[in-house]
Each structure stands twice: as C-alpha cells, then as structure tokens.
C-alpha cells in the first residue's frame, strides 16, 4: 500500500489545500486578492466550459494552488502564469512537471511571447481573476486575441452581469461593449462564495468568451473604439451627445458630437447604454474618417 504522504495533494480539497499551505508556510495575501477555489465540481465545470481537446494549448492565469490546473492536463500543453512565487512552489506539489509555470503578473507578462505560434489550434485561456484587476486583465488578454480561441473567466457575479448586459440595460459599461465587439460572451453559471477559501463577500460567475475570428476591428480601430467608449460611458446617465462632447480626447463640441451621431444614424437623445456594439463601431470608424480627412 502506498504512503498517503506520497500522493499528489488535491488542490480542490479544503483540508488537503490547507495542509499543503501550512507545510509550505503560505498564507493568503490580501494585496494579491488571493482566494482559492475549494470545490472540485466547480473546477470541472470551468474546464468543461473550455471544451478542451488533446490537441489544445491552455494558458491559465492565476492558478493558485492548482484546483483547476489539475484538470487541465488533458490538453497537449498547459502554461500557468502565477504572480506569487510561494504558490509557484505549491504548484510543483499539486501538478508537478505536467504544467509549465511562469512567475509573472498577467498585466505585464509578455503574453505574445508566452502564447507561441507553434503549429496547432489557437490557445484557450482559463482564469480566476482577482476582483481588483478584472477589467485590466480582460483588456490585456483581449490584446492578445489573435492567438486565443476561447477564454473561460471566473469573475465577481456583478462584473459578469455587466459584461453580458444587453443594450438598454443600466449595467452596461464601456468594457461590456468592447467584450461584445471582440467576443461572443456567455454566462456559464453562478459560483457561491462558499466555494472559496478564504470566503469572499460576494458570489462569482463563470463566463465563456469565444473570440471572433477574424477580428471585426483592426488595431487602429480598436484604439479609437476604446476612446469613444470611455468618452460615451465616462459620465453616467448623461445623454450620449453630452457625454461625447465632454470626452476631451475626442475634441468634440456638443454641436459636432450631435452631427457625428446623426451621420451614424444614432439618436443623440439616447444614453450610451442604449446603443449596441455596432453603433459604437460606426462611431469609431466615422471619428477615424474625420481625423484622416
């Protein structure tokens, strides 16, 4: 009979994860927003949403103790980006050499270099994002979208609801529209706060974002679209014509903003949350045409 001490710890088991952390002298750090999934059923649900095949390459951001990571190894290659060097050592015990671990911050890591263009399908991304960096991290991953097929992201429930909010919803924001433009977003399911340790104050949700290929916007158009979106949503509950006029980066007066909207077939008296992604894309392209003219 094998010695239990020689068995690989199950990172989705609360008792085994805590025992491993004690052995490694690790305590969750608030500065990193660390909270760990301790529910194997949820871990398997996340992996199922990624629809992995034996030919896939997977990038996991924030693997923590490896609760999800241990189920990703059915793919051909798994690379995990983890900011905490102590957790890098923990992962050696939970997933060993089956996963390539990079100690880095996803916001500054060279993703284009990590997501190598070796032959094979595009990468799939799996991540449990700390609440404090959710927006910047999603934007960073979208910047590398040419090499990504799908992203399965666990975020705060409120954030997930905003990211899939339909036109007309007061929950929509500029990131909602950017995600809507570049991906097909689907809410996979809710995750109770009781599935984490330490337990957060809010529930989470799993989102599946399938990247649109080819991309509907060029890099130049994406930059203009982001500026337009941030201006339009910069002042909540204002009419879009007033919000655009207050967006200093666009250099629009109220009169020119109205003319721009009318040129794009958009009612100036609407609010930003009422507009669809294609409305903002027309706006961004018209702004670009005016600048080039």
């Amino acid at each position: 009979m094998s010695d239990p001490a020689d068995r690989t710890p199950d990172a989705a088991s609360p008792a085994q994860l805590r025992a491993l952390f004690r052995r490694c002298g690790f305590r969750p750090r608030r500065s990193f927003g660390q909270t760990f999934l301790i529910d194997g059923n949820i871990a398997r649900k996340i992996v199922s949403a990624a629809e992995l095949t034996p030919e896939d390459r997977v990038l996991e951001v924030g693997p923590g103790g490896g609760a999800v990571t241990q189920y990703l190894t059915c793919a051909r290659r798994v690379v995990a980006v983890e900011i905490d060097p102590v957790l890098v050592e923990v992962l050696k015990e939970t997933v060993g050499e089956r996963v390539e671990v990079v100690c880095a911050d996803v916001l500054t890591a060279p993703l284009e270099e990590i997501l190598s263009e070796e032959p094979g399908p595009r990468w799939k991304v799996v991540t449990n994002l700390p609440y404090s960096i959710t927006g910047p991290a999603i934007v960073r991953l979208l910047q590398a979208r040419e090499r990504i097929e799908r992203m399965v992201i666990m975020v705060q429930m409120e954030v997930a609801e905003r990211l899939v909010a339909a036109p007309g919803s007061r929950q929509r924001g500029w990131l909602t529209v950017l995600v809507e433009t570049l991906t097909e977003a689907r809410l996979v399911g809710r995750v109770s706060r009781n599935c984490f340790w330490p337990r957060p104050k809010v529930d989470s949700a799993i989102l599946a974002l399938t990247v649109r290929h080819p991309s509907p916007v060029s890099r130049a158009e994406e930059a203009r679209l982001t500026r337009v979106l941030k201006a339009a949503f910069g002042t909540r509950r204002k009419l879009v014509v007033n919000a655009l006029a207050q967006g200093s980066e666009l250099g629009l007066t109220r009169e020119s903003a109205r003319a721009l909207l009318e040129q794009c077939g958009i009612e100036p008296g609407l609010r930003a949350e009422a507009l669809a992604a294609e409305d903002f894309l027309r706006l961004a392209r018209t702004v670009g045409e005016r600048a080039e003219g």
Side-chain angles (χ1 to χ4, degrees), residues 241 245 252-260 290:
V241 64
L252 297 173
T253 63
R254 193 174 189 281
E255 290 71 25
S256 60
R258 176 179 289 276
L260 174 67
R290 288 189 171 195

Side-chain angles (χ1 to χ4, degrees), residues 17 98 110 167 173 253 274:
L17 183 66
R98 295 175 294 165
T253 63

Side-chain angles (χ1 to χ4, degrees), residues 232-253:
F233 286 96
T235 309
R236 276 287 176 184
R237 307 306 297 161
K238 275 190 175 293
L239 301 182
V240 67
V241 64
N242 296 331
L244 289 174
Q246 290 182 357
S248 57
E249 286 190 14
L250 298 178
L252 297 173
T253 63

Side-chain angles (χ1 to χ4, degrees), residues 215-293:
S215 178
V217 296
S218 66
R219 288 296 178 185
E221 287 176 330
E222 180 186 351
R224 283 194 295 268
L225 175 62
T226 301
R227 288 199 298 272
V228 169
L229 289 173
K230 288 185 175 181
F233 286 96
T235 309
R236 276 287 176 184
R237 307 306 297 161
K238 275 190 175 293
L239 301 182
V240 67
V241 64
N242 296 331
L244 289 174
Q246 290 182 357
S248 57
E249 286 190 14
L250 298 178
L252 297 173
T253 63
R254 193 174 189 281
E255 290 71 25
S256 60
R258 176 179 289 276
L260 174 67
L261 290 163
E262 291 176 345
Q263 182 181 344
C264 295
I266 299 170
E267 169 55 51
L270 295 175
R271 292 186 169 87
E273 56 265 32
L275 305 186
E278 53 265 30
D279 295 322
F280 283 108
L281 194 50
R282 286 201 309 277
L283 274 172
R285 287 173 174 160
T286 304
V287 167
E289 291 167 0
R290 288 189 171 195
E292 291 168 2

Side-chain angles (χ1 to χ4, degrees), residues 180-248:
E180 184 179 311
T181 302
L182 301 177
T183 76
E184 293 182 16
R186 176 173 65 91
L187 185 63
V188 175
R190 187 175 189 136
V191 182
S192 168
R193 67 196 75 182
N194 296 321
C195 295
F196 299 90
W197 176 80
R199 188 174 67 175
K201 296 180 179 179
V202 295
D203 292 338
S204 295
I206 305 167
L207 287 177
L209 309 180
T210 302
V211 179
R212 300 184 192 275
H213 292 293
S215 178
V217 296
S218 66
R219 288 296 178 185
E221 287 176 330
E222 180 186 351
R224 283 194 295 268
L225 175 62
T226 301
R227 288 199 298 272
V228 169
L229 289 173
K230 288 185 175 181
F233 286 96
T235 309
R236 276 287 176 184
R237 307 306 297 161
K238 275 190 175 293
L239 301 182
V240 67
V241 64
N242 296 331
L244 289 174
Q246 290 182 357
S248 57

Side-chain angles (χ1 to χ4, degrees), residues 129-139 153-156 159 163 175:
L129 291 174
Y131 300 155
S132 59
I133 66 162
T134 296
I138 290 175
V139 171
I153 300 175
M154 186 151 58
V155 296
Q156 184 177 339
V159 173
L163 290 177
L175 187 55

